Amino acid sequence: MCLLVSTQQKISEATKLIMPHSQSASKNVKVDQPQNKYLQIWEFIMEEISGHPRKIPPKVRLFNFLSFFNAFTNILGTLPLIFLAMNLQLMIFNLSTGIIFFIIWFLSQWLKVPKKYLFFPFVITTLVFLFVSHLVDSGTLGGTHYYFFLASAIFIVVSDNLKDGWITVFLTIVCVVGLFYIDLYFPELITFESDETMIYINRIMNYIVVLLFIFLIMHKLQHTFVQENQFSTAVLNNIMPKDVAAELRRNGFVEPVKHESTTILFLDMVGFSSLVKDKNTQEVLNILEYYFDNFDMIVKKYNVEKIKTIGDGYLAVGGVPYNNSTHSFDVMRAAIDIIKFIEDPDEQALRSQQGIDNINVRIGIHTGGLIAGVIGRNKYSYDVWGHNVNLASRIESTGVINNISVSETSYNILGDLFPFRLRSKIPIKNLGEANIYLFDKEKYIDIDKSTLDSVSLITEADVLISTSYSGKY
């Protein structure tokens, strides 16, 4: 029983770990699926019986499985009684309890009746079935009482709270004490097998069946736990870097890391609020999902880490969580591809066909140090913070529609590879006037990363020392 309770707690912990995260994140999570066609068939059957792993909570899936299994075995158990023309009353009892279990399963799995309304009918039906089976199967000599130990463990596992679990344990104890009392003082109420050898065989068979049932339940619990563990891992890997997610799962927290050199990209959809003011919620979500999904693919292509979306804004950083020497180049290339995607006539025509509004964006880029880590206790979020993050946001807010504005720090790194023009000094909140450079789209000639091998770039470290911004961020 302790082992079953421990497994239940692990399942609950895995479930709690994934619940805080958004439904939209989980929609795109990829979890390993069985490749063998027989395993796929088995998974399909189990989904039909227990429920979909991503839509139905683990305890409800286990409850559905047990209800269906009990219905199947009880109804199937009437067949020998029919063919052997045995006790008609026992046959009707087996069939009736099987039908009750089937109704419970059907209500839970297909009509989605909450488990809290079906749990105690399930418990009572189980205990009544075991109680009567004990009386008609030679009492304690037949070994039916072994099933009560299994039943109490199952009740604890599928119960919604500790109170319900203890109530079911109490009911089980009452049944067992009552049966032993009948065995001692009212043996005439028990139907004994006349052949002692059959009684012995029956007791052994009941013992074996209980062990097999325990194995089956434990296998189902383990399978459920593995599924939830895989999904929680996939969700974490989807919302933060894998190594960061691994540290969070291993330690329960993530040590913040100071990165001396990164490149920050801020993007804002210009006029988005006025564009969608007359649209319904689903239409707004479709537009955001379309653009953010494409932005995600672009930044991933250049090994830039998406950090988060903020309303209709988008934040990504190069050089986190793994330091590299090309993050400024990577972020710039990603920004150029985003502008291309926004302005491409073919993409615009395709969006119009799909009913997706065309939008304009502003992009701001700045290079500097920051701190990265996981913040929050209840809802984990991998984030970056520091003065340079704020500065990148302010550079974006002063930018030009469908173009890229960069700080002088980033310009000193990228100026030999990309064409820029000085926008003169721009007032930046809490900083004063600063040189901001605008990407010159008309003069740009597409290059790729191999260009880095033939171009001598000033390093980020040198820029941070020599720039007029040195000491401010």
Side-chain angles (χ1 to χ4, degrees):
M1 185 183 298
C2 291
L3 181 59
L4 286 169
V5 174
S6 176
T7 307
Q8 179 198 25
Q9 291 172 344
K10 290 181 180 179
I11 294 174
S12 298
E13 289 169 2
T15 305
K16 289 177 182 177
L17 183 61
I18 66 173
M19 286 304 292
H21 305 298
S22 67
Q23 296 295 325
S24 59
S26 65
K27 178 174 61 177
N28 298 318
V29 173
K30 294 182 179 179
V31 181
D32 294 337
Q33 299 293 330
Q35 299 299 318
N36 186 290
K37 67 176 182 179
Y38 297 108
L39 287 177
Q40 290 178 335
I41 293 172
W42 173 252
E43 289 292 328
F44 173 77
I45 293 173
M46 292 307 297
E47 281 186 16
E48 293 299 307
I49 293 174
S50 304
H52 194 284
R54 299 282 64 83
K55 298 177 181 179
I56 307 298
K59 284 188 178 184
V60 177
R61 297 205 311 273
L62 181 60
F63 179 79
N64 291 343
F65 171 78
L66 292 170
S67 299
F68 183 86
F69 185 84
N70 286 347
F72 178 79
T73 54
N74 282 25
I75 294 173
L76 191 66
T78 62
L79 296 180
L81 300 177
I82 295 173
F83 290 118
L84 296 176
M86 296 178 68
N87 192 321
L88 178 62
Q89 294 175 332
L90 183 59
M91 180 186 70
I92 294 174
F93 175 74
N94 271 20
L95 185 61
S96 300
T97 53
I99 291 173
I100 292 173
F101 280 125
F102 182 83
I103 292 173
I104 291 172
W105 169 78
F106 183 81
L107 290 173
S108 177
Q109 168 65 350
W110 295 106
L111 299 186
K112 306 305 179 187
V113 175
K115 180 168 68 70
K116 64 181 180 179
Y117 300 121
L118 302 173
F119 175 67
F120 279 103
F122 172 83
V123 170
I124 299 301
T125 305
T126 302
L127 292 178
V128 169
F129 174 76
L130 293 179
F131 193 94
V132 175
S133 298
H134 182 90
L135 295 179
V136 301
D137 194 18
S138 304
T140 54
L141 294 178
T144 312
H145 56 284
Y146 296 137
Y147 289 98
F148 284 97
F149 298 103
L150 175 62
S152 62
I154 290 173
F155 297 155
I156 292 173
V157 170
V158 299
S159 62
D160 288 326
N161 52 66
L162 191 60
K163 177 183 176 182
D164 288 349
W166 280 115
I167 291 174
T168 59
V169 170
F170 174 76
L171 292 175
T172 305
I173 292 173
V174 169
C175 288
V176 172
V177 171
L179 288 172
F180 275 92
Y181 184 82
I182 291 173
D183 268 16
L184 286 174
Y185 298 105
F186 300 98
E188 65 275 8
L189 298 177
I190 299 174
T191 302
F192 290 94
E193 177 66 47
S194 57
D195 188 343
E196 291 188 5
T197 303
M198 287 302 298
I199 293 177
Y200 183 74
I201 293 174
N202 200 25
R203 185 162 64 245
I204 293 176
M205 289 301 298
N206 280 330
Y207 184 72
I208 292 173
V209 169
V210 168
L211 290 178
L212 290 175
F213 210 120
I214 290 174
F215 170 79
L216 184 63
I217 297 301
M218 292 305 299
H219 174 74
K220 180 65 178 174
L221 286 171
Q222 183 188 38
H223 180 68
T224 300
F225 176 71
V226 169
Q227 281 186 320
E228 297 305 315
N229 187 56
Q230 287 178 339
F231 184 65
S232 64
T233 300
V235 168
L236 282 177
N237 290 342
N238 198 49
I239 63 175
M240 63 183 66
K242 287 186 177 180
D243 287 352
V244 175
E247 182 181 351
L248 177 62
R249 291 174 62 83
R250 183 174 59 250
N251 302 331
F253 63 92
V254 175
E255 288 286 352
V257 177
K258 183 177 182 180
H259 296 270
E260 298 294 343
S261 180
T262 67
T263 299
I264 305 143
L265 178 150
F266 257 102
L267 176 149
D268 182 61
M269 296 182 182
V270 181
F272 183 80
S273 297
S274 59
L275 177 69
V276 300
K277 65 180 180 180
D278 296 325
K279 298 184 181 297
N280 61 44
T281 302
Q282 190 57 52
E283 289 174 329
V284 174
L285 291 176
N286 288 342
I287 295 172
L288 288 173
E289 185 175 38
Y290 169 81
Y291 283 104
F292 286 155
D293 281 352
N294 281 280
F295 296 163
D296 287 350
M297 288 188 288
I298 291 171
V299 299
K300 184 177 181 181
K301 173 183 175 183
Y302 293 105
N303 197 33
V304 176
E305 186 71 29
K306 172 194 174 180
I307 303 300
K308 61 184 175 182
T309 60
I310 312 165
D312 56 3
Y314 189 91
L315 170 62
V317 180
V320 298
Y322 315 109
N323 297 324
N324 64 66
S325 61
T326 61
H327 54 76
S328 297
F329 179 84
D330 298 332
V331 170
M332 188 65 195
R333 285 280 286 159
I336 292 171
D337 276 13
I338 289 174
I339 298 298
K340 286 181 179 179
F341 168 72
I342 294 296
E343 294 187 325
D344 187 345
D346 293 336
E347 289 288 349
Q348 290 178 346
L350 182 61
R351 286 195 284 269
S352 297
Q353 292 175 4
Q354 296 174 346
I356 302 293
D357 295 84
N358 288 298
I359 63 166
N360 297 311
V361 299
R362 284 192 309 260
I363 297 178
I365 292 176
H366 172 58
T367 299
L370 52 74
I371 298 172
V374 174
I375 57 174
R377 293 285 183 180
N378 297 323
K379 295 186 178 182
Y380 295 122
S381 172
Y382 181 73
D383 208 348
V384 294
W385 57 93
H387 175 66
N388 289 309
V389 179
N390 297 332
L391 182 56
S393 175
R394 289 163 190 158
I395 291 171
E396 173 274 311
S397 65
T398 64
V400 176
I401 291 177
N402 290 343
N403 211 326
I404 306 162
S405 300
V406 304
S407 68
E408 187 168 13
T409 310
S410 297
Y411 169 76
N412 288 336
I413 298 169
L414 299 168
D416 291 336
L417 285 176
F418 302 92
F420 293 95
R421 55 185 175 84
L422 179 64
R423 290 184 60 200
S424 73
K425 291 186 180 294
I426 303 294
I428 302 294
K429 183 180 178 181
N430 296 333
L431 183 66
E433 291 188 337
N435 289 331
I436 304 298
Y437 294 80
L438 187 66
F439 176 60
D440 194 334
K441 295 187 291 186
E442 304 301 324
K443 295 182 180 180
Y444 174 66
I445 300 175
D446 199 11
I447 57 176
D448 56 40
K449 205 162 185 174
S450 62
T451 308
L452 286 175
D453 298 331
S454 57
V455 176
S456 176
L457 290 176
I458 184 170
T459 67
E460 287 88 342
D462 292 335
V463 170
L464 290 173
I465 293 173
S466 63
T467 181
S468 60
Y469 291 156
S470 179
K472 294 182 179 179
Y473 30 94

